Amino acid sequence: MEGSCKGEGMTWTGSQCCVPNEWTCGAGTIGRCDNKGESWTGTMCCAQQPKQCIAGMQSSSGKDCGNNLVSWSASQRCVPQFWTCVAGTIGGCNGKDKFWTGTYCCAEKPMHCVGGLSSACQGHGSVFTGTKCCLPPPTTCIAGSMNGCDGKNQLWTGTYCCVDGAQQCYPSAASDCKGPYTSFTGSQCCVPEDFKCWYGSNCEQQGASRAGTNCCSQQM
Protein backbone atom coordinates (compact mmCIF):
# COMPACT_ATOMS: atom_id res chain seq x y z
CA MET A 1 0.00 0.00 0.00
CA GLU A 2 1.30 3.44 -0.96
CA GLY A 3 0.75 4.91 2.49
CA SER A 4 3.01 2.30 4.09
CA CYS A 5 5.66 2.09 1.37
CA LYS A 6 7.66 5.11 2.49
CA GLY A 7 10.58 3.77 4.50
CA GLU A 8 14.23 3.99 3.57
CA GLY A 9 14.99 1.64 0.67
CA MET A 10 11.30 1.25 -0.26
CA THR A 11 9.87 2.34 -3.62
CA TRP A 12 6.20 2.58 -4.65
CA THR A 13 5.54 1.72 -8.33
CA GLY A 14 1.85 2.63 -8.39
CA SER A 15 0.66 -0.88 -7.61
CA GLN A 16 3.50 -2.54 -5.71
CA CYS A 17 5.97 -1.78 -2.94
CA CYS A 18 9.53 -2.68 -3.95
CA VAL A 19 12.29 -3.34 -1.41
CA PRO A 20 15.97 -4.29 -1.73
CA ASN A 21 16.60 -7.82 -2.94
CA GLU A 22 18.48 -8.81 0.23
CA TRP A 23 15.45 -8.09 2.46
CA THR A 24 13.28 -11.01 3.61
CA CYS A 25 9.53 -10.46 3.38
CA GLY A 26 6.73 -12.63 4.73
CA ALA A 27 3.16 -12.57 5.96
CA GLY A 28 2.52 -10.40 9.01
CA THR A 29 0.50 -7.62 10.55
CA ILE A 30 1.26 -3.93 10.97
CA GLY A 31 0.98 -4.25 14.73
CA ARG A 32 3.62 -6.96 14.96
CA CYS A 33 5.97 -5.57 12.29
CA ASP A 34 7.55 -3.02 14.63
CA ASN A 35 10.83 -4.60 15.68
CA LYS A 36 14.10 -2.85 14.92
CA GLY A 37 15.14 -3.53 11.32
CA GLU A 38 11.61 -4.31 10.09
CA SER A 39 9.43 -2.44 7.58
CA TRP A 40 5.72 -2.85 6.79
CA THR A 41 4.81 -2.68 3.08
CA GLY A 42 1.07 -2.57 3.68
CA THR A 43 0.62 -6.30 3.10
CA MET A 44 3.91 -7.89 4.19
CA CYS A 45 6.49 -7.55 6.93
CA CYS A 46 10.07 -7.22 5.68
CA ALA A 47 13.25 -7.79 7.65
CA GLN A 48 15.99 -5.52 6.35
CA GLN A 49 18.54 -8.35 6.00
CA PRO A 50 18.66 -11.91 4.64
CA LYS A 51 16.73 -14.21 6.95
CA GLN A 52 15.07 -17.60 6.98
CA CYS A 53 11.51 -17.80 8.27
CA ILE A 54 10.48 -21.06 9.92
CA ALA A 55 7.60 -22.42 11.97
CA GLY A 56 7.47 -21.14 15.52
CA MET A 57 5.46 -19.46 18.23
CA GLN A 58 5.47 -15.82 19.25
CA SER A 59 6.44 -14.84 22.77
CA SER A 60 3.59 -13.44 24.84
CA SER A 61 5.14 -9.96 24.76
CA GLY A 62 5.46 -10.01 20.97
CA LYS A 63 9.22 -9.61 21.42
CA ASP A 64 11.99 -12.19 21.53
CA CYS A 65 13.70 -11.88 24.88
CA GLY A 66 16.02 -9.10 23.76
CA ASN A 67 17.33 -10.98 20.73
CA ASN A 68 17.27 -8.28 18.06
CA LEU A 69 18.32 -10.79 15.39
CA VAL A 70 14.94 -12.52 15.59
CA SER A 71 11.64 -11.22 14.27
CA TRP A 72 8.07 -12.49 14.04
CA SER A 73 6.11 -12.79 10.80
CA ALA A 74 2.50 -13.98 11.24
CA SER A 75 3.04 -17.67 12.09
CA GLN A 76 6.81 -17.84 11.65
CA ARG A 77 9.99 -16.83 13.42
CA CYS A 78 12.53 -15.17 11.13
CA VAL A 79 16.16 -15.72 12.12
CA PRO A 80 19.50 -14.94 10.44
CA GLN A 81 20.12 -16.92 7.30
CA PHE A 82 23.39 -18.37 8.61
CA TRP A 83 21.74 -19.98 11.66
CA THR A 84 21.07 -23.73 11.50
CA CYS A 85 17.52 -24.66 12.55
CA VAL A 86 16.61 -28.31 13.09
CA ALA A 87 14.35 -30.55 15.17
CA GLY A 88 14.82 -30.30 18.91
CA THR A 89 13.08 -29.78 22.25
CA ILE A 90 12.52 -26.69 24.38
CA GLY A 91 14.56 -28.24 27.19
CA GLY A 92 17.39 -29.37 24.95
CA CYS A 93 17.53 -26.02 23.18
CA ASN A 94 18.30 -24.13 26.37
CA GLY A 95 21.79 -22.74 26.52
CA LYS A 96 24.45 -20.59 24.95
CA ASP A 97 24.34 -20.06 21.18
CA LYS A 98 20.91 -21.73 20.84
CA PHE A 99 17.45 -20.26 20.18
CA TRP A 100 14.09 -22.05 20.46
CA THR A 101 11.53 -20.85 17.90
CA GLY A 102 8.67 -22.73 19.52
CA THR A 103 8.99 -25.51 16.96
CA TYR A 104 12.66 -25.77 16.01
CA CYS A 105 16.01 -25.34 17.73
CA CYS A 106 18.41 -22.97 16.02
CA ALA A 107 22.16 -23.12 16.51
CA GLU A 108 23.33 -19.54 16.08
CA LYS A 109 26.01 -20.44 13.50
CA PRO A 110 26.43 -22.74 10.48
CA MET A 111 26.41 -26.36 11.68
CA HIS A 112 26.07 -29.92 10.38
CA CYS A 113 23.40 -31.77 12.37
CA VAL A 114 22.64 -35.49 12.73
CA GLY A 115 20.83 -37.71 15.19
CA GLY A 116 22.46 -38.03 18.58
CA LEU A 117 22.21 -38.21 22.36
CA SER A 118 22.90 -35.50 24.93
CA SER A 119 25.32 -37.71 26.85
CA ALA A 120 27.45 -38.32 23.74
CA CYS A 121 27.19 -34.96 21.97
CA GLN A 122 29.98 -33.19 23.84
CA GLY A 123 33.21 -31.60 22.69
CA HIS A 124 34.50 -30.72 19.21
CA GLY A 125 32.37 -27.55 19.26
CA SER A 126 29.19 -29.63 19.28
CA VAL A 127 25.72 -28.32 20.16
CA PHE A 128 22.84 -30.57 21.23
CA THR A 129 19.32 -29.44 20.28
CA GLY A 130 17.34 -32.02 22.21
CA THR A 131 17.27 -34.55 19.38
CA LYS A 132 20.16 -33.58 17.10
CA CYS A 133 23.91 -33.29 17.56
CA CYS A 134 25.34 -30.39 15.56
CA LEU A 135 29.01 -29.86 14.73
CA PRO A 136 30.86 -27.08 12.93
CA PRO A 137 31.46 -27.77 9.22
CA PRO A 138 33.23 -29.26 7.50
CA THR A 139 32.52 -32.59 9.17
CA THR A 140 31.46 -35.98 7.83
CA CYS A 141 28.98 -38.05 9.86
CA ILE A 142 28.39 -41.68 8.88
CA ALA A 143 27.66 -45.11 10.28
CA GLY A 144 30.01 -46.44 12.92
CA SER A 145 30.16 -47.63 16.51
CA MET A 146 30.87 -46.05 19.87
CA ASN A 147 34.01 -48.14 20.44
CA GLY A 148 35.28 -47.71 16.89
CA CYS A 149 34.74 -43.95 16.76
CA ASP A 150 37.45 -43.00 19.25
CA GLY A 151 40.02 -40.99 17.28
CA LYS A 152 41.15 -37.48 18.24
CA ASN A 153 39.48 -36.11 15.10
CA GLN A 154 36.21 -37.99 15.71
CA LEU A 155 33.05 -37.63 17.79
CA TRP A 156 30.46 -40.32 18.49
CA THR A 157 27.08 -38.54 18.60
CA GLY A 158 25.25 -41.52 20.06
CA THR A 159 24.00 -42.46 16.58
CA TYR A 160 26.72 -41.54 14.09
CA CYS A 161 30.47 -41.22 13.94
CA CYS A 162 31.54 -37.74 12.85
CA VAL A 163 35.01 -37.18 11.43
CA ASP A 164 36.51 -33.70 11.20
CA GLY A 165 36.75 -32.36 7.66
CA ALA A 166 35.23 -33.39 4.33
CA GLN A 167 35.82 -37.12 3.97
CA GLN A 168 35.13 -39.99 1.59
CA CYS A 169 34.36 -43.24 3.42
CA TYR A 170 34.34 -46.92 2.47
CA PRO A 171 33.07 -50.07 4.25
CA SER A 172 36.04 -51.54 6.06
CA ALA A 173 37.35 -53.58 8.94
CA ALA A 174 39.76 -51.90 11.34
CA SER A 175 42.58 -54.03 9.94
CA ASP A 176 41.93 -52.64 6.44
CA CYS A 177 42.02 -48.98 7.52
CA LYS A 178 45.70 -48.15 7.57
CA GLY A 179 48.01 -45.38 6.55
CA PRO A 180 48.27 -41.58 6.85
CA TYR A 181 45.05 -39.58 7.22
CA THR A 182 42.79 -42.64 7.66
CA SER A 183 39.98 -42.58 10.25
CA PHE A 184 38.11 -45.72 11.28
CA THR A 185 34.51 -45.20 12.44
CA GLY A 186 33.72 -48.75 13.54
CA SER A 187 32.42 -49.85 10.16
CA GLN A 188 33.89 -47.39 7.65
CA CYS A 189 37.34 -46.16 6.74
CA CYS A 190 37.51 -42.47 5.85
CA VAL A 191 40.16 -40.48 4.04
CA PRO A 192 40.11 -36.81 3.00
CA GLU A 193 37.69 -35.97 0.21
CA ASP A 194 40.46 -34.72 -2.07
CA PHE A 195 42.37 -38.04 -1.98
CA LYS A 196 42.38 -40.18 -5.11
CA CYS A 197 41.11 -43.71 -4.40
CA TRP A 198 41.16 -46.83 -6.55
CA TYR A 199 40.40 -50.52 -6.14
CA GLY A 200 43.62 -52.33 -5.44
CA SER A 201 45.99 -54.22 -3.19
CA ASN A 202 49.52 -53.70 -1.89
CA CYS A 203 48.63 -50.10 -1.10
CA GLU A 204 51.61 -49.59 1.19
CA GLN A 205 54.01 -50.58 -1.57
CA GLN A 206 52.46 -47.86 -3.73
CA GLY A 207 52.87 -45.27 -0.99
CA ALA A 208 49.11 -45.16 -0.45
CA SER A 209 46.75 -45.66 2.48
CA ARG A 210 44.31 -48.57 2.64
CA ALA A 211 40.59 -47.88 3.02
CA GLY A 212 38.69 -51.16 2.82
CA THR A 213 39.27 -52.58 -0.67
CA ASN A 214 40.67 -49.28 -1.92
CA CYS A 215 44.05 -47.66 -2.05
CA CYS A 216 44.01 -43.91 -1.49
CA SER A 217 46.66 -41.25 -1.84
CA GLN A 218 46.93 -37.51 -1.71
CA GLN A 219 46.78 -35.93 -5.14
CA MET A 220 49.83 -33.88 -5.96
Side-chain angles (χ1 to χ4, degrees), residues 4 28 39 41 46 91 93 124-125 141 163 172 178 217:
S4 300
S39 294
T41 70
C46 297
C93 195
H124 286 252
C141 299
V163 184
S172 176
K178 297 179 178 180
S217 66

Side-chain angles (χ1 to χ4, degrees), residues 47-207:
Q48 297 170 5
Q49 56 183 297
K51 287 192 174 185
Q52 54 178 318
C53 297
I54 57 176
M57 298 176 64
Q58 189 177 24
S59 60
S60 58
S61 66
K63 304 297 180 182
D64 287 293
C65 301
N67 194 326
N68 58 13
L69 296 177
V70 179
S71 58
W72 173 254
S73 177
S75 61
Q76 295 183 312
R77 285 280 181 91
C78 296
V79 302
Q81 202 169 53
F82 63 88
W83 286 13
T84 303
C85 299
V86 295
T89 65
I90 188 172
C93 195
N94 181 28
K96 184 181 178 181
D97 298 326
K98 292 186 282 187
F99 182 84
W100 178 246
T101 73
T103 306
Y104 293 100
C105 182
C106 298
E108 297 177 0
K109 59 184 72 174
M111 301 288 269
H112 178 69
C113 302
V114 295
L117 300 172
S118 176
S119 58
C121 186
Q122 298 182 26
H124 286 252
S126 60
V127 171
F128 188 64
T129 70
T131 60
K132 300 283 188 181
C133 185
C134 302
L135 294 101
T139 187
T140 302
C141 299
I142 57 167
S145 68
M146 180 175 64
N147 293 330
C149 187
D150 59 359
K152 291 183 179 180
N153 66 329
Q154 296 169 288
L155 175 71
W156 175 248
T157 71
T159 307
Y160 294 96
C161 181
C162 294
V163 184
D164 294 345
Q167 305 279 326
Q168 51 181 317
C169 304
Y170 302 95
S172 176
S175 58
D176 290 324
C177 189
K178 297 179 178 180
Y181 304 104
T182 58
S183 299
F184 185 62
T185 70
S187 63
Q188 306 267 322
C189 185
C190 300
V191 296
E193 190 177 64
D194 59 358
F195 271 36
K196 179 181 179 181
C197 295
W198 64 95
Y199 178 81
S201 58
N202 301 318
C203 301
E204 294 81 0
Q205 296 178 17
Q206 301 178 62

